[in-house]
Amino acid sequence: ETEEQRQNRESMRRSFHQSISAGVLTSLAHKRYERRRLAAMEIEKVVRSLTAQMSQQQSDQHYISNNIQNQLERVRAILQNLTDDYVRSSSEDARKGGVVALAASAIGLKKAVVLSSQHARGMEECKDLILASVLHACQDHSQRVRYYATESLFNVIKCLPTLAVQHFFILFEILRSLYADVDLDVRSGAQMLDKKLKEVIVAAINNGSFTADACVPLFVRLVHMRNKPTKQLTLTWLQEFTEKLVGSPILEFLHLFLGGVFGMIADPTPEIRQLALEFLQAVLPRLLQNHPTVTGEIEEVLRVSISNAEDYGGYVSVDYDKILQSLVTTLEHPDPFVRKVAMYWMNQIIRAHMGDCGDGIGMNLNLNMNIGGLDSSKSQHLSAASIAVRNSVPHVLPGILLSIGDAFHTRSSSKDTFLPEETTHSLAESTNSCLQAVVRHNGQSFVSHLDGFIVALREELDSPGGHGARNPPAMERKPYRADVKPDGSGIESTGWFRTSGGEGGGSDHDGAKRDGDGGGGTTGADLEKDDAVMMSRLCALQWVTVLYENVVPDSLKAEYANQFTSPIIHQLVFNPPDLIIFKSLEVLANITIITDNDEERTSNTQAPPFDHQNKNDNASDKKKLNANNDQIPLLGGEFIQTIRDDPATLFKMDILDTAASTTPSLPSSDQDPNFQEQQQPRMFRSRDREVFATLINLHSRHTRLLPDLPRVIQYLCCLQPPDYVFVSFSLEIDRFIRASQERMEKAAAAAGTAGSALLKEAHGSFADDLDFSSTFVQQMNFVLLSASETSHLRIMLRDSMGPHVPINAYDQRRQRLFHILI
């Protein structure tokens, strides 16, 4: 401390003793509270008198400015000595008296008239000194001192509310520590202080002197803390802001702390759970309000900036896209009740802003809005919320696929008071039905979001256990509750989460283990997880068809089908149930059906509609084959060579299909009566053989799947003509062998010497492919000769070969089909 500072301190001390009598100073450190209170009231009178003199002197223009400064210095001297000699004293009673005296001084400064800019800074320093000293006492080691400091802080904020606005963040941190104090009296005082601080801050935000935006980072940080009093305090503030702020500005930042609030629903403390539910129940109706519609130029702006659409007409901006994304993340929470509430939120938001989707759950809003997207020709008037929610559907889809398989209610032992008649599964099904109804009603509005749908569906179909297995939350971060295990179990009973690798049942190795005999028994939990995966897969497959039929343009249908061919077929690796296999093949049959656009395109290019792999074929051969298919030899090398060429595919596909438009109809006398009686209605065929090629490649990599191949072929024969299935497999297995042979020949040419390791490896790979092809053909023959699905094909081929001469064109066609299959 310098000499000048020491002199200033001594001067302030003399001024302090001149202003305050010795008896008052002695009573201020007395053991009795009443003596300390009376002494504080005397100090309040002194401070009020000095403040009144300063206000009066300032109004007198003839009064010297130095006298005002002297009065201000006397006030500062009183406050500084109260801080140094009492608040920081070693005596507990002196500290108690010091904080009470500082609060009394704040009351004395309450009626101070706004001074000139020359002295305003000095008055602000006096107020800041009071606040800093009282906040220091709030952290005292004595419980009674902390209690009196809390009471004094309440009086300071009440008398000087501007201090609370200026130093809100410091006050809130002190309030957090007092809210979690070990002493009951201190906690009671903290609750009173909390109410007063809320009142001051809410009033400041409503009158514009403070903003809710400034509080958001604080709440976002605190909402994820583990401290229970902090959680409780944060929830009460969020509730206060939601109910009392004009315009609900907190909704603009709701997505930042929504996940933390949902996590509090699973808190072991009943008070925190109740506060979290009350906050969510207060916020949800505000999100479901039908704000003013947007048209014209605003509508065009929302087309461009749809992810952050704003509500116009004085309403606060709400980012529904991020709110729904936060709900999707919450649907991975280990606690089933949290998942149910999150799914309820998603259901209500989608139903409120997407239109009437059927029988609703919960509130019925009767919003007068059109379903779907923007359509200026129909003069639709959509709110910004509706546009934002509609464009968030691709982000919502993973959560719905995950929740469709949530069947935790079958094991719940506690009584659920929140929508007891509904479950997460039923809410997810209702939401899924609503979204599909909207997509079917106005599918063109979702064309721009087709990439998002494809990513979400492939994420479900590509992963062994669906969306949950790709990002198991309990494995990546600490569990929400101490009794949660990495697989999501341990909350009340066996967990529901699908885990991949290690303990889970989603890897390729696990699938092989199930196929073998040594895989062990299957537990009830494993069966439930398999059921959950199956329900999610069925929902994803259904969405593939819905998008194909209602959203995908005709020009993109072939490309869209190629996106899902491999993921859907790859599910066979994990030995799915028969229902999944049949549904997968049915979806593939639906999305690969040749469309009118495909027929027009192929007719213009003179290419067979069933093959897009024939770009390098000889044009003259195509013309020759298309001109007169009946002139192709029945036997000999020329025929064998011809059936390997793609230009003949159209001929091969229509050998027995007399109802096809590409084949001239035969006279009734040339047709087999037995065949005519047994013939079923013509079924549609695929636009190419990509599905069959993918199946062959999959089984060549996973030969353990070959025993189940007959079942797959039988399902294919139920969905498409058996002759088309067998011809397609025949062509693709031939292509597979020729490709393998070409690889071996290239390896032999590059090896140089016959005894090199590279050549041996190539020969071994080719031998494996031949062995695989042999087994594959054996399985095809088994289905052809014994399955009921191929009975019509067997009738067609009966007596197709023999010494007799063909008597009509139908017999010729049967012979040719027989040669192709051979």
Side-chain angles (χ1 to χ4, degrees), residues 288 324 343-369 371 386 389 426-435 437-438:
L288 305 182
L324 291 172
M343 194 64 245
Y344 173 76
W345 261 57
M346 183 178 293
N347 179 278
Q348 292 299 307
I349 291 175
I350 289 176
R351 286 183 170 276
H353 298 295
M354 295 290 281
D356 187 10
C357 304
D359 295 331
I361 295 176
M363 65 177 63
N364 184 13
L365 298 176
N366 293 325
L367 300 180
N368 186 19
M369 295 187 300
I371 298 178
S386 298
V389 172
S426 62
L427 290 171
E429 282 189 334
S430 173
T431 308
N432 181 64
S433 301
C434 176
L435 291 179
V438 172

Side-chain angles (χ1 to χ4, degrees), residues 12 15-16 18-20 46-47 50 53-54 67-81 126:
M12 293 178 66
S15 176
F16 173 67
Q18 291 175 3
S19 304
I20 308 296
V46 174
V47 173
L50 293 174
Q53 292 178 17
M54 286 188 291
N67 290 337
I68 299 178
Q69 186 67 27
N70 291 336
Q71 300 294 343
L72 187 61
E73 290 296 334
R74 291 181 64 183
V75 173
R76 182 184 293 109
I78 293 174
L79 299 177
Q80 187 66 53
N81 281 274
C126 292

Side-chain angles (χ1 to χ4, degrees), residues 168-169 172-177 215-235 237-238 256-257 260-261 264:
F168 167 72
F169 299 102
F172 197 88
E173 291 297 328
I174 295 298
L175 178 61
R176 279 206 312 126
S177 63
C215 305
V216 170
L218 176 65
F219 294 148
V220 172
R221 177 175 62 89
L222 298 180
V223 79
H224 295 286
M225 286 191 172
R226 293 180 176 272
N227 185 270
K228 294 180 181 179
T230 298
K231 290 182 180 180
Q232 192 170 352
L233 179 65
T234 306
L235 285 172
W237 275 82
L238 292 176
L256 296 176
F257 46 80
V261 175
M264 294 182 191

Side-chain angles (χ1 to χ4, degrees), residues 70-218:
N70 291 336
Q71 300 294 343
L72 187 61
E73 290 296 334
R74 291 181 64 183
V75 173
R76 182 184 293 109
I78 293 174
L79 299 177
Q80 187 66 53
N81 281 274
L82 286 175
T83 300
D84 295 341
D85 297 343
Y86 289 88
V87 176
R88 300 180 185 274
S89 173
S90 59
S91 171
E92 181 178 335
D93 294 325
R95 298 198 297 274
K96 295 177 185 177
V99 295
V100 175
L102 286 172
S105 301
I107 298 175
L109 294 175
K110 177 181 179 180
K111 298 182 179 180
V113 180
V114 178
L115 303 176
S116 63
S117 58
Q118 182 179 359
H119 305 112
R121 183 174 181 182
M123 181 60 70
E124 291 299 325
E125 290 177 354
C126 292
K127 294 178 180 180
D128 291 343
L129 180 59
I130 293 176
L131 182 63
S133 301
V134 175
L135 291 179
H136 174 78
C138 288
Q139 303 175 70
D140 196 274
H141 64 274
S142 172
Q143 296 179 0
R144 297 308 299 169
V145 173
R146 293 199 301 274
Y147 170 73
Y148 284 110
T150 303
E151 188 180 54
S152 300
L153 185 59
F154 173 87
N155 292 325
V156 170
I157 293 176
K158 182 179 180 180
C159 298
L160 306 174
T162 56
L163 284 178
V165 177
Q166 296 172 2
H167 306 282
F168 167 72
F169 299 102
I170 298 176
L171 286 171
F172 197 88
E173 291 297 328
I174 295 298
L175 178 61
R176 279 206 312 126
S177 63
L178 296 175
Y179 215 80
D181 199 277
V182 295
D183 185 68
L184 180 60
D185 293 335
V186 176
R187 293 199 301 271
S188 300
Q191 293 177 1
M192 296 180 60
L193 175 63
D194 176 44
K195 293 180 180 179
K196 176 54 66 175
L197 187 59
K198 287 176 183 174
E199 179 183 335
V200 172
I201 296 301
V202 168
I205 294 177
N206 287 334
N207 62 32
S209 59
F210 195 59
T211 61
D213 305 12
C215 305
V216 170
L218 176 65

Side-chain angles (χ1 to χ4, degrees), residues 256-275:
L256 296 176
F257 46 80
L258 189 60
V261 175
F262 270 102
M264 294 182 191
I265 300 178
D267 195 273
T269 307
E271 292 80 5
I272 295 179
R273 292 200 302 269
Q274 185 63 30
L275 285 173

